[in-house]
Amino acid sequence: MLERVIAWSPLDVKAIFEDLSAVLGDQEPRPAEIPGLATRLRGHLERLSTIAVADPRFCPLEEIQKTLRRGVALQESKLPGGHRHALGHTRRIAGVVEDLVGQLIETKQIKGPED
């Protein structure tokens, strides 16, 4: 437990939005960038999912539960080969992260990048 506390770092919402912009923005990421972006987005998804269910006294809203279920399926699947397939998969992960971060900001479970 102590190791987890020592290794803990605050949630960097700004970094989440930067990665979302890199994947979902107007300019497509280069093929070499996709594996790193996918890894970071999976990490964001894991942390956000943990936050969403962290308080055992409250069940997440149905909308958040649906988003979490979408995320589980993507977390369990590997990054496919081929640029187009890998980009599509990474964009699906980004879509779930984008939805979840928005829902958690809306429910005040996390602060937005401007807060």
Side-chain angles (χ1 to χ4, degrees), residues 17-107:
F17 280 101
E18 288 171 357
D19 286 340
L20 290 173
S21 179
V23 173
L24 301 174
D26 293 334
Q27 189 169 351
E28 188 175 292
R30 294 187 310 269
E33 297 173 319
I34 293 173
L37 285 165
T39 299
R40 287 196 305 276
L41 287 166
R42 286 176 196 261
H44 298 323
L45 182 54
E46 185 176 337
R47 287 194 76 184
L48 293 169
S49 297
T50 300
I51 291 167
V53 298
D55 192 339
R57 298 174 296 162
F58 301 102
C59 183
L61 299 173
E62 180 61 30
E63 182 179 1
I64 293 175
Q65 289 180 31
K66 287 179 183 178
T67 304
L68 291 171
R69 284 191 293 273
R70 287 178 30 225
V72 167
L74 290 168
Q75 285 284 61
E76 293 175 350
S77 60
K78 295 183 187 237
L79 189 65
H83 173 66
R84 286 279 152 221
H85 293 293
L87 179 59
H89 184 77
T90 304
R91 284 183 171 162
R92 285 189 292 282
I93 297 170
V96 173
V97 169
E98 182 178 47
D99 290 347
L100 189 54
V101 76
Q103 292 162 347
L104 294 177
I105 289 170
E106 185 177 316
T107 58

Side-chain angles (χ1 to χ4, degrees), residues 3 6 8-10 16 18 21-22 30 42 81 88 102 111-112 114:
E3 293 84 21
I6 292 171
W8 178 85
S9 62
I16 293 172
E18 288 171 357
S21 179
R30 294 187 310 269
R42 286 176 196 261
K111 293 181 179 184
E114 292 85 32

